[in-house]
Amino acid sequence: MVFTVRVSLALGPAPVPSSATGLVTAEAVALDLRPARLGSRAIALMIDILVQAALAGVLMLVAGVIMAVLPEKLVDDALSATVWRVLVVAVLLAYPTIVETRTNGRSVGKTAMGLRVIREDGGPIGVRQAFTRALIGFTLEWPGLLLPFLTWAGSLAIMIGSDRGRRLGDLAAGTLVVHERRPLPFRYVPGMPADLAPWAAAADLSAVDDELAGAVRHYLSRAQELAEPASSALLQSLAVEVGARVTPPPPSGTPPWLFLCAVLAERRRRYAAQLAAGRLVTERLLPGFGRRPLYPSIPPVRRAAPSS
């Protein structure tokens, strides 16, 4: 019976999500993805810049050691300029291309911010898309070697004006940046029905385990999203299963919905009471354990001994 409840809850009808990015795959499936905007992308870029700066420092250190070992007649201004250009290309062009290709569009900054680069059709990017994005950024956006201030302003205006937050590199490569992490919507769970509070306080709920209580909580939080008759069938299944584990049974004529609300609210109340009692015992045995002082203690200042 538990298996049936879980399957019904997982496969219950839900509202069809709308694609925030407007992406539709070749199988005519709308992708419910949230495009990344200027704020999250700017923070990801700052993290990537710090990583690239660290990488550039390491490469410059290695290059300096190698050039120090070479004979003096081989080290001249032309070699130094060539090494510098190679380092710039490696850090600003090769590094982002390799990283985004190997990680399917997740640089260090994007990973920290929960972002990913994908193609316009929703697929993972390849070497061509990653190289195009890095090349446009290298020449026009960041650091933008061609007319830096003018191209920066133009790139920023394009990103702000884009309905999907795309920059010049995304437009040229046919990509966009989306959020991998989706915010969990707030779901209201009903509280204790007043008429059932005395019965619930005396009922034995020890047989209602966390897994079954989680299924009840999930149903109560999204019952309004389920269509009939699936919602009523699932409600009856949960009420029968929970009723078989609760003694004594609820008062005669109690609606299944109120019965489940009472059981869930009482479990929550008992858990909070147990947690509070445990904290009291801990405080009694180990005062201050697990708490950080609001203000750090300052050692007393000793008065200097009078000089003779």
Side-chain angles (χ1 to χ4, degrees):
M1 190 62 184
V2 177
F3 178 78
T4 305
V5 170
R6 286 197 209 114
V7 172
S8 301
L9 187 58
L11 300 182
V16 178
S18 60
S19 177
T21 56
L23 296 181
V24 180
T25 65
E27 292 79 14
V29 176
L31 300 179
D32 186 21
L33 300 174
R34 188 162 57 101
R37 300 297 180 180
L38 179 61
S40 57
R41 296 188 63 173
I43 298 176
L45 177 61
M46 292 174 59
I47 297 175
D48 287 332
I49 290 175
L50 293 177
V51 174
Q52 288 176 311
L55 177 62
V58 172
L59 293 180
M60 290 178 64
L61 179 62
V62 173
V65 172
I66 295 176
M67 293 178 64
V69 175
L70 294 176
E72 293 184 1
K73 61 180 179 180
L74 296 179
V75 180
D76 53 8
D77 294 340
L79 179 61
S80 300
T82 301
V83 171
W84 168 251
R85 290 186 175 90
V86 170
L87 289 180
V88 170
V89 172
V91 173
L92 298 179
L93 188 59
Y95 168 75
T97 301
I98 295 174
V99 169
E100 289 193 352
T101 302
R102 298 290 296 179
T103 60
N104 291 329
R106 289 178 296 180
S107 63
V108 177
K110 291 183 178 62
T111 301
M113 297 301 298
L115 308 180
R116 179 194 290 268
V117 185
I118 61 173
R119 298 198 311 259
E120 286 184 304
D121 59 357
I125 65 172
V127 179
R128 179 176 63 84
Q129 289 85 7
F131 178 76
T132 302
R133 285 170 46 83
L135 182 61
I136 297 298
F138 179 72
T139 56
L140 298 177
E141 295 175 321
W142 179 261
L145 300 182
L146 302 177
L147 303 174
F149 294 101
L150 181 61
T151 54
W152 291 353
S155 177
L156 185 62
I158 290 175
M159 181 180 295
I160 294 176
S162 173
D163 58 344
R164 294 190 288 183
R166 303 174 72 189
R167 63 178 180 88
L168 285 173
D170 293 319
L171 296 175
T175 60
L176 71 154
V177 181
V178 297
H179 287 272
E180 287 189 307
R181 307 167 188 165
R182 297 189 58 85
L184 293 176
F186 172 77
R187 298 185 183 276
Y188 170 74
V189 177
M192 171 68 73
D195 296 340
L196 296 180
W199 164 81
D204 181 11
L205 308 180
S206 58
V208 180
D209 55 16
D210 293 339
E211 196 169 4
L212 179 57
V216 174
R217 183 182 302 106
H218 191 47
Y219 169 77
L220 294 178
S221 64
R222 58 172 299 212
Q224 302 299 326
E225 303 175 6
L226 302 179
E228 295 292 349
S231 180
S232 298
L234 183 55
L235 174 63
Q236 294 295 332
S237 299
L238 287 171
V240 169
E241 184 171 0
V242 174
R245 303 189 184 190
V246 174
T247 54
S252 178
T254 301
W257 173 272
L258 297 181
F259 167 59
L260 295 180
C261 291
V263 170
L264 199 62
E266 180 62 22
R267 289 186 84 255
R268 184 167 59 246
R269 186 193 67 81
R270 294 181 185 182
Y271 177 77
Q274 292 176 0
L275 184 61
R279 289 177 177 174
L280 288 177
V281 173
T282 303
E283 183 67 21
R284 189 180 304 113
L285 298 177
L286 301 172
F289 179 78
R291 293 184 302 170
R292 297 183 60 183
L294 184 59
Y295 300 101
S297 59
I298 302 176
V301 179
R302 290 186 176 181
R303 181 176 299 178
S307 58
S308 57

